[in-house]
Amino acid sequence: MDIRLRSTPPEDAAADVLALPCFEEDLRARRPDGSIGALDRKLGGRLLAAAKEERFAGGAESSLAFPTWGGLAAGRLLLLGLGKRERFGTEALRHAAARAVRAASRVSAQRLALALPGAGEADAEIRAAAEGAALGAYRFDRYRTDEKGRREPPRAVDLLAASPAEVRGGAGALDLAREVAGAVAWARDLVNEPAGALTPSRLADEARAMARTHRLRVEVFGPEAIRTLRMGLFLGVAQGSAEEPRLIHVWYQPGGSAARRPPLAIVGKAITFDSGGLSLKTNEGMLDMKTDMAGAAAALAAMRTVRALAPPFPVHAFMGACENMPGGRAYKLGDVLVSRSGKTVEITNTDAEGRLVLGDVLAWASSFRPAAMVDLATLTGACVVALGHWTAGAFSPDEALAAEILAAAATAGEDVWRMPLTDWVKDTLDSDVADMRNAGERWGGAIAAAHFLSRFTGGVPWLHLDIAGPAFSHKERGYIPKGGTGFGVRTLVDWIRHRADGAKARR
Ligand code: BES
Ligand code: MN
Ligand code: ZN
């Protein structure tokens, strides 16, 4: 699908489908101005008549399609509701663009023209519309041999800007959107790939191939090297599986003096399948557990964009990939594991495996002395209970880093909510035999998990994103498909971009 920028007025756009975003106010106005007014006049008043007839009021998530019967250059008109004008944000446009692409695919349209609403900053609208269109076209169908659900997206999408100046100025925003959408689609693919295919060693192969294509450095370690690094928590989780673990390190090394700047570090949870181990999950609870590497998918996908972002500092990603399985060699309840940092952990639940692997990998990442470190993990069901399926929880003792990540999530259009690291939850991790236990009580479970991780961060400014809710969706909503969502990629990209802008401004 080719996404382009044009300054053609909507009424002249030659396309199979012309998609026109509109606000509730536009449809209530007696004589609407802008594109709606122009198109309505061109259609002899039939646009507003049709909207009225079909009770289309421009509400967010609504849309209305009808043929133009030769009244316009475009064959069909699609009205995309954006809700109330004063509540408009680029996220509504991202969703609307995805709805337009899907509606166009449904009628096998080759060419889709999408008018930009012009309600906010042009670059932000271009980025959101392009991302929404590209992400709305995403499908995971490599395992389908039937025709069911197979619909080709339009070959070309023309984003209609208000002026040639906007088109010229928007080229950068469009490039960024293409880059980001490609990365998000790849993260979705990795998450959707079955655990039987995407084993820890396959994930490492994917990381290696990506690093080669995008000119990044990469190193992959097997069980012996992991043992040499004394990662007892990681090895404990991995030992119940017939699949070997892999420790994956991908990094971007800029040239010149930038190479010596303090790096950023990203850590991703990479459990390629979480059965729960001996604390076995139920069938229901295990059903989606191929997605337990979504944090690593987001980290790798963000790395894929770093060469293009070219920040003036190194960026590292670290992932401990393994399966959590019950087996003859599996780690047991009551076992005491010795972490890379030397701290000991009593195992009270083998299903609290993510924090164990992350503990050792965070300790390793912190030894690179990063300026800041962010981990992404499908860590707790408790976080899904707290925030639902569309919002990630952010835990950090560092106010400045928390503000930075929330700001990045906001410009990226991802929903992230700050959670507290309440001191009173800490004692639920007290152990009678070791420095700590790996699982506390049910209450405050997402906070306890974050406290556990915080003990392995070596004093580096750190933030933990619990993405157990938004990493995977059971419902299609706008540009968010069923299955892997690629959540976190856009926040990471904007975090790196904002940091790069700040570093360049200081020079
Ligand atoms: N991978 C799960 C968390 C999860 C649950 C992700 C649902 C996505 C959807 C994690 O490893 C886990 O099993 N956590 C336990 C921790 C508990 C045993 C302390 C949980 O949340 O139940
Ligand atoms: Mn688990
Ligand atoms: Zn897990």
Side-chain angles (χ1 to χ4, degrees):
M1 200 173 73
D2 189 20
I3 304 179
R4 310 175 296 201
L5 260 178
R6 296 281 185 268
S7 57
T8 321
E11 53 272 30
D12 299 332
D16 300 305
V17 174
L18 168 63
L20 190 69
C22 46
F23 295 102
E24 292 176 17
E25 291 84 347
D26 297 332
L27 292 151
R28 274 203 305 270
R30 204 159 265 290
R31 305 201 70 244
D33 48 14
S35 302
I36 305 255
L39 287 165
D40 186 53
R41 281 190 292 283
K42 200 130 189 217
L43 289 168
R46 278 172 295 176
L47 187 160
L48 290 173
K52 196 167 176 196
E53 183 85 7
E54 299 292 328
R55 291 173 174 71
F56 175 79
E61 319 244 316
S62 69
S63 48
L64 175 68
F66 47 88
T68 57
W69 306 117
L72 294 176
R76 282 186 195 80
L77 188 59
L78 173 69
L79 299 179
L80 298 168
L82 291 181
K84 291 187 175 54
R85 187 180 281 270
E86 85 250 14
R87 290 190 51 192
F88 174 69
T90 47
E91 188 63 357
L93 181 57
R94 210 176 262 109
H95 283 301
R99 273 182 279 140
V101 166
R102 264 202 298 276
S105 319
R106 228 170 292 133
V107 296
S108 304
Q110 296 286 310
R111 246 182 109 173
L112 167 68
L114 170 62
L116 296 171
E121 203 223 327
D123 274 11
E125 286 194 359
I126 290 165
R127 179 178 170 192
E131 282 180 0
L135 294 176
Y138 175 83
R139 286 165 309 172
F140 184 74
D141 51 15
R142 54 176 300 200
Y143 291 102
R144 294 208 94 107
T145 60
D146 56 6
E147 289 300 301
K148 186 173 160 250
R150 257 190 204 268
R151 282 199 195 98
E152 291 305 317
R155 210 161 314 145
V157 178
D158 290 339
L159 304 179
L160 309 180
S163 67
E166 275 188 19
V167 170
R168 279 192 302 278
L174 184 58
D175 282 343
L176 176 64
R178 286 200 191 100
E179 189 75 30
V180 168
V184 172
W186 184 55
R188 289 174 177 181
D189 280 345
L190 290 174
V191 173
N192 289 331
E193 194 63 36
L198 196 80
T199 57
S201 50
R202 263 283 310 278
L203 183 64
D205 292 345
E206 292 284 340
R208 238 189 308 243
M210 180 278 285
R212 204 172 310 122
T213 313
H214 296 271
R215 293 190 291 126
L216 302 171
R217 307 204 181 174
V218 59
E219 56 188 358
V220 174
F221 298 123
E224 289 73 40
I226 298 169
R227 204 174 314 278
T228 307
L229 285 166
R230 305 169 69 86
M231 294 188 169
L233 305 183
F234 182 13
L235 288 170
V237 174
Q239 76 192 35
S241 167
E243 293 290 339
E244 283 188 356
R246 289 289 183 270
L247 181 62
I248 306 168
H249 177 201
V250 177
W251 73 105
Y252 162 78
Q253 194 66 30
S257 62
R260 289 187 298 278
R261 287 258 180 87
L264 292 184
I266 304 167
V267 173
K269 175 171 173 181
I271 301 295
T272 61
F273 189 71
D274 182 9
S275 74
L278 289 173
S279 312
L280 197 65
K281 289 182 184 291
T282 59
N283 192 84
E284 176 71 17
M286 212 185 292
L287 208 46
D288 297 327
M289 283 302 130
K290 68 171 184 183
T291 67
D292 213 17
M293 34 57 72
L300 284 171
M303 287 309 291
R304 204 180 105 137
T305 70
V306 173
R307 176 65 57 186
L309 302 178
F313 45 76
V315 183
H316 292 255
F318 305 90
M319 286 138 290
C322 70
E323 291 185 337
N324 184 25
M325 295 288 276
R329 294 191 185 283
Y331 74 142
K332 303 169 184 74
L333 304 182
D335 277 359
V336 175
L337 306 181
V338 184
S339 68
R340 170 168 173 73
S341 71
K343 295 189 180 89
T344 57
V345 181
E346 178 196 3
I347 302 307
T348 54
N349 190 322
T350 63
D351 199 10
E353 85 296 340
R355 64 194 72 181
L356 295 170
V357 178
L358 288 168
D360 274 343
V361 178
L362 282 167
W364 191 46
S366 71
S367 70
F368 289 75
R369 304 321 303 171
M373 181 161 76
V374 170
D375 79 76
L376 296 92
T378 46
L379 204 61
T380 66
C383 200
V384 191
V385 172
L387 297 175
H389 274 293
W390 311 105
T391 307
F395 300 79
S396 179
D398 191 297
E399 296 300 321
L401 182 57
E404 243 180 79
I405 294 296
L406 291 181
T411 58
E414 292 189 313
D415 204 21
V416 175
W417 190 258
R418 178 99 184 258
M419 299 285 275
L421 277 165
T422 314
D423 275 342
W424 312 112
V425 177
K426 279 185 188 161
D427 66 4
T428 65
L429 294 173
D430 288 352
S431 164
D432 294 332
V433 299
D435 297 340
M436 68 192 95
R437 52 200 280 177
N438 75 322
E441 57 180 38
R442 206 163 148 234
W443 318 114
I447 300 173
H451 274 306
F452 185 94
L453 297 183
S454 75
R455 297 176 182 184
F456 299 92
T457 55
V460 169
W462 155 83
L463 182 139
H464 158 60
L465 268 186
D466 194 331
I467 60 168
F472 184 85
S473 181
H474 288 277
K475 194 173 122 188
E476 181 179 283
R477 186 170 71 85
Y479 67 87
I480 302 170
K482 279 190 189 178
T485 60
F487 188 96
V489 177
R490 289 184 287 140
T491 296
L492 288 173
V493 166
D494 274 10
W495 181 47
I496 296 166
R497 288 177 58 234
H498 296 173
R499 278 251 172 178
D501 291 346
K504 282 172 190 153
R506 263 181 270 113
R507 262 200 301 204

